[in-house]
Structures are given as C-alpha cells and as structure tokens.
Amino acid sequence: MTTLTLIGKPNCHLCDVASDVIDAVVAELPDAAAEQIEIVEASIQDDPALYELWWEKIPVVLIDGELHAHWRVSPDRLREALEGALRGESPTELKEAL
C-alpha cells in the first residue's frame, strides 16, 4: 500500500487544485494500482506540528511520508512517482533517477 498525503487547509485554492490533480492522476491509473493507493488529507489548522513544518508551503504532497511536491503538483511527475512507489521504489531512488 502506498500512502499519498495532501497537507493543506480549508478554503485554500491551491489545495483544491492539488486535490483535483491527485484525484485525476489516481483515476487514470489501472484499477489494481489505484486500489493500492491510500489518500490521506491533513489540515495544518488541526495539527500544530504540521503547521510549524508546512504553513508557508501548502499544499504539500507526501508519498509514503516523503516530500513529493509543494505549492503546485505536476500530474506527470505525480503519476511517475506513484507508479514508482507501487513498484517498490523509494521517492529518493526516483529523484536520483531523474
């Protein structure tokens, strides 16, 4: 199982856009792959630790706990990272391959 975490806050336009990109990318994956992705949303307003870490970078996307993107989410880059994570490649390995 791969966990994709979207960190944002309510009424955040860029967070809404990031959520839409995530939904579209996951919807385009084969069903077997999409079923292996857990999407978790977290708000910096509900968690002081998240606020301290990310308040000026939201939306933030983590894949299996590692930073994938902040501010803007590229559909192509996200798709590649999710496919790599599903193959068992760590986000660090993916970055080194790029």
Side-chain angles (χ1 to χ4, degrees), residues 7-13 15-16 41-46 58:
I7 301 170
K9 68 177 184 176
N11 302 313
C12 166
H13 173 70
C15 300
D16 294 339
E41 293 191 24
S43 172
I44 62 170
Q45 290 181 334
D46 298 334
I58 62 168

Side-chain angles (χ1 to χ4, degrees), residues 25-84:
V25 167
V26 171
E28 291 172 359
L29 294 173
D31 289 344
E35 291 170 1
Q36 295 298 310
I37 299 171
E38 176 185 19
I39 299 173
V40 176
E41 293 191 24
S43 172
I44 62 170
Q45 290 181 334
D46 298 334
D47 187 330
L50 288 178
Y51 180 88
E52 284 297 316
L53 284 171
W54 304 114
W55 70 272
E56 65 182 348
K57 298 212 184 276
I58 62 168
V60 173
V61 176
L62 308 177
I63 297 177
D64 291 331
E66 292 193 37
L67 179 63
H68 169 74
H70 60 86
W71 295 323
R72 303 232 183 250
V73 181
S74 161
D76 292 336
R77 188 168 168 264
L78 178 61
R79 185 177 307 101
E80 185 175 312
L82 288 173
E83 289 170 348

Side-chain angles (χ1 to χ4, degrees), residues 1-6 19 22-23 26 34 37-41:
M1 180 71 64
T2 294
T3 302
L4 184 150
T5 305
L6 174 61
S19 180
I22 290 166
D23 289 345
V26 171
I37 299 171
E38 176 185 19
I39 299 173
V40 176
E41 293 191 24

